[in-house]
Amino acid sequence: MPGAETPRDPSSATPDAPASSDPSRPVHARADVDRAGSRRDRSWPPVPDALPLPVVDNHCHLDFADGDVELSVDDHVQRARAAGIDAMITIGSNREAAFWTAELVARDDRLRGGVAVHPNEAALHARGHDHEGRPLIPLDEAIAEIDRLVRGPGMVVVGETGLDVFRTSRRDEAAHAAQVSSFRAHIALAKELGLPLQIHDRDAHREVLEVLDADGAPERTVFHCFSGDAEFARACVDRGFYLSFAGTVTFKNALGLRDALGEVGLGRVMVETDAPFLTPSPYRGRPNSSYLIPLTMAQIAESTASGLEEACAAVRATTLEVYGWPAA
Ligand SMILES: [Zn+2]
Ligand SMILES: [Zn+2]
């Protein structure tokens, strides 16, 4: 989750466990304005041609609404299937979303889930209140809730956790320390449960590797929305980590990401949307959904000098290897 969020119902964000909400409808909304303050085009891009073989979106946020027309979870799943994306892993990256996600994946077999205290949320829990001044539970209690939720039905991954020094400055020492200790707690949890770990790494490549090297990474460690260059990709793959590419790889200025794919090839690569964020070109800024994965898969195939069918088969096999799902 890279973007700003607006809670749909601010009054519900209390320190009590969030009230259960209808898991077929999103609980957050992506901001209508981009970071520069201008209004986005909120129309849904068209559904692209279907992929020749099905792949899995291994990181999206179904709890976030976007678009001029609201899509239900079922709408997202149906559109994705029409485009050759037959399954999705949805990630709950704040407290309300974690409860929501646990409820959704427990009852919808087309989906699987992951939960964690997102690094930027870890900083807020440590401070004791959110951006609007509403109180938050202490970080250790938030992590204890994740420990419980991730053991529930339909959960396949601990994440997203890691370090974000883009939104949370390193100079804020208490906030940064909270990110590091939260990251370490999630590494330990993934190892204890034998689950994969999804890493959120924003401008913190070297330090993320340092923490993983020091603590010992879980056997299956995934860099979600991989954002490094060829050298960093090599350092990750040499450690046995997996790289998940999002729509960012299609952006005009993303030469480093395409080089990274050229460097490591298809072996440890997966695909994701991080929807509703990071919409691939040529629809950057518009709402994102799993059905737009074919645009990103086309770039993955091109940058690894492989055919689209070969790329889809490799990504699917890697997804099964990491999450044990979905079986053929
Ligand atoms: Zn993220
Ligand atoms: Zn995310």
Side-chain angles (χ1 to χ4, degrees), residues 21-44:
S21 46
D22 176 2
S24 66
R25 306 228 79 90
V27 282
H28 299 98
R30 182 180 172 187
D32 287 353
V33 290
D34 61 24
R35 206 155 289 153
S38 41
R39 285 213 163 267
R40 297 187 294 117
D41 177 356
R42 293 178 68 242
S43 63
W44 288 101

Side-chain angles (χ1 to χ4, degrees), residues 1-2 59 118 160 200 224 274:
M1 175 184 74
H59 184 111
H118 188 282
E160 55 186 293
H200 171 102
H224 116 75
D274 209 9

